[in-house]
Amino acid sequence: MKRLILEMGSGADLYGMDYTKAAIRAFNDAIRHSSITLFSSLDIDHNEMNVNITIGVQEPNKVNIEKLRAQVPRGNPKVIATFGGQNIDSRCNGDFSVVATCAIEAYVPILSGLYTIIEAPKE
């Protein structure tokens, strides 16, 4: 497999201190930057794509991995939550805003040998 895509995003939950909500927003921010026309152009099934999603938050154990995995529209997702992001103190009642970061990596099968690149004729 070769990595074809690396996208990054960020998301926040400003009032609920919900790590999963911030993680999903970061994922949505990252995925909205991509349109993978390569699959239809080369007749590759989306099920052949492996997708690694890394979420950075201050308390990774509070991210619902299955809920985040359910957001992935295509491919075979692997989701990891790790230490990162930020908790921003709201300065009242001990509340904080959660900021999550997300990296999405998409991998496709190695296609060498399946296609021949030809030079376009010169005019």
Side-chain angles (χ1 to χ4, degrees):
M1 299 289 265
K2 288 272 192 183
R3 185 173 71 184
L4 176 68
I5 296 171
L6 172 62
E7 290 289 352
M8 289 138 300
S10 63
D13 182 27
L14 299 177
Y15 304 107
M17 298 184 296
D18 187 327
Y19 289 92
T20 300
K21 184 185 283 187
I24 289 172
R25 288 177 176 172
F27 170 78
N28 285 327
D29 181 47
I31 202 167
R32 299 294 182 262
H33 299 160
S34 293
S35 174
I36 310 172
T37 60
L38 175 76
F39 288 90
S40 59
S41 298
L42 298 179
D43 198 29
I44 300 171
D45 188 334
H46 282 96
N47 292 322
E48 293 186 49
M49 176 176 60
N50 289 341
V51 182
N52 291 346
I53 300 158
T54 304
I55 297 293
V57 291
Q58 290 289 297
E59 295 189 52
N61 60 321
K62 292 188 177 178
V63 175
N64 183 328
I65 298 295
E66 291 307 315
K67 195 169 183 180
L68 184 56
R69 185 178 285 120
Q71 301 292 310
V72 182
R74 292 185 172 86
N76 307 301
K78 176 182 171 189
V79 181
I80 298 169
T82 188
F83 182 78
Q86 296 180 2
N87 286 349
I88 308 297
D89 186 1
S90 67
R91 304 279 181 213
C92 63
N93 301 326
D95 291 348
F96 54 88
S97 297
V98 175
V99 179
T101 59
C102 177
I104 301 174
E105 300 171 278
Y107 292 82
V108 296
I110 296 172
L111 302 173
S112 61
L114 295 179
Y115 300 95
T116 303
I117 299 173
I118 58 173
E119 190 173 324
K122 296 187 185 210
E123 293 181 15

